[in-house]
Amino acid sequence: MKKVLLSILRDKNTDIKKFREVSEKLALILAGEVGEFLEKEEIKIDTPIDKANGIKFKNDIILIPILRAALSLVPAFLMFFEKAKVGFLGLKRDEKTAIAKLYYKNFPKIKDTDDVIILDPMIATGGSGSQAIKLLKEDSVKEEKIIFVSVICAKPGVDKIKREYPKVKIIYVAQDKKLNDQQFIIPGLGDFGDRYFGTL
Ligand code: PRP
Ligand code: URA
């Protein structure tokens, strides 16, 4: 299912309505997948006729969407993690240098036990993702408590993040091999934020 949905996103003929619909569906699948990696604890449940063993997520969840493109993923994640606090990071790549500049940061209070999920559908050079992790670490978040959720990552970017932060878990739908001269993912899907928000 993930690859079918991703193929629609990659297609340059996919219009904005379809792009939004499909990225939101993909986000639901990714949110479900993240659940597999979060710590659980056992609980006892009374069914209408007997007792049963069950599980629940052990820790509180913090979502950190990187603006803008990750806004597309937030509603799906909140559907599963209804009580998650949401912190925002505004990072924008300079069109010439492709270096991401921080323009907004608003993190909630993050406890040691919280599981922190960074959302960004695209990892290209890895510069934005790496900055996001650095800022979380400056807020005393441990690497091993961070899960990074992406849709397409380019190998150079994911390699950079893994090299700098080896304990961060990275989940993605596809890994593309390279970047072009403008540091866009090849083949990629173009500019996610522009396609989702119609700012092409
Ligand atoms: C895009 C994308 C990532 C970043 C990835 O955002 O959504 O945040 O680039 O590139 P990197 O790995 O090389 O840092 P962009 O800066 O275009 O901002 P936008 O979402 O507001 O369009
Ligand atoms: N950001 C995007 O949205 N797409 C790319 O290919 C690279 C960065």
Side-chain angles (χ1 to χ4, degrees):
M1 183 56 82
K2 284 188 294 182
K3 300 281 170 183
V4 170
L5 296 174
L6 182 62
S7 305
I8 300 170
L9 290 184
R10 285 193 193 274
D11 188 340
K12 68 172 184 187
N13 295 313
T14 297
D15 67 16
I16 187 168
K17 181 169 179 282
K18 188 81 181 165
F19 192 89
R20 286 178 175 159
E21 186 185 300
V22 170
S23 42
E24 285 151 22
K25 283 183 185 160
L26 205 44
L28 283 170
I29 298 174
L30 288 168
E33 266 181 29
V34 164
E36 301 299 315
F37 299 100
L38 298 171
E39 241 184 298
K40 330 276 189 313
E41 64 189 7
E42 297 194 349
I43 52 168
K44 301 278 182 209
I45 309 155
D46 292 320
T47 78
I49 45 177
D50 203 352
K51 296 196 179 304
N53 295 320
I55 53 168
K56 67 178 186 89
F57 294 121
K58 187 171 179 191
N59 305 314
D60 293 335
I61 307 291
I62 310 278
L63 301 178
I64 308 284
I66 302 181
L67 303 175
R68 293 171 303 165
L71 289 177
S72 61
L73 307 178
V74 172
F77 276 74
L78 285 178
M79 208 176 284
F80 286 95
F81 307 113
E82 303 100 328
K83 292 186 185 164
K85 292 181 183 160
V86 185
F88 290 93
L89 265 186
L91 287 166
K92 178 75 191 149
R93 297 198 324 170
D94 179 289
E95 283 182 8
K96 289 204 181 70
T97 62
I99 294 169
K101 192 163 175 274
L102 179 72
Y103 62 87
Y104 185 68
K105 174 178 175 278
N106 190 343
F107 286 169
K109 194 167 167 23
I110 306 177
K111 304 188 296 296
D112 284 355
T113 50
D114 292 346
D115 288 312
V116 179
I117 304 172
I118 300 177
L119 303 173
D120 193 340
M122 306 299 274
I123 300 176
T125 63
S128 305
S130 167
Q131 252 196 84
I133 299 167
K134 178 169 168 275
L135 290 164
L136 284 167
K137 288 190 72 172
E138 284 170 11
D139 254 29
S140 305
V141 177
K142 294 211 174 63
E143 260 179 61
E144 51 271 39
K145 296 297 282 177
I146 302 175
I147 300 180
F148 199 122
V149 178
S150 185
V151 173
I152 302 182
C153 63
K155 190 170 184 323
V158 85
D159 285 352
K160 170 183 165 70
I161 295 175
K162 282 184 180 162
R163 195 169 54 244
E164 293 175 359
Y165 305 108
K167 292 183 189 152
V168 171
K169 172 142 203 67
I170 308 175
I171 293 172
Y172 51 81
V173 179
Q175 184 178 114
D176 288 0
K177 286 200 178 63
K178 56 181 184 179
L179 299 167
N180 67 9
D181 293 344
Q182 287 79 44
Q183 310 299 325
F184 270 80
I185 302 172
I186 301 297
L189 54 70
D191 188 307
F192 194 109
D194 282 349
R195 292 189 67 188
Y196 188 90
F197 290 108
T199 45
L200 288 162

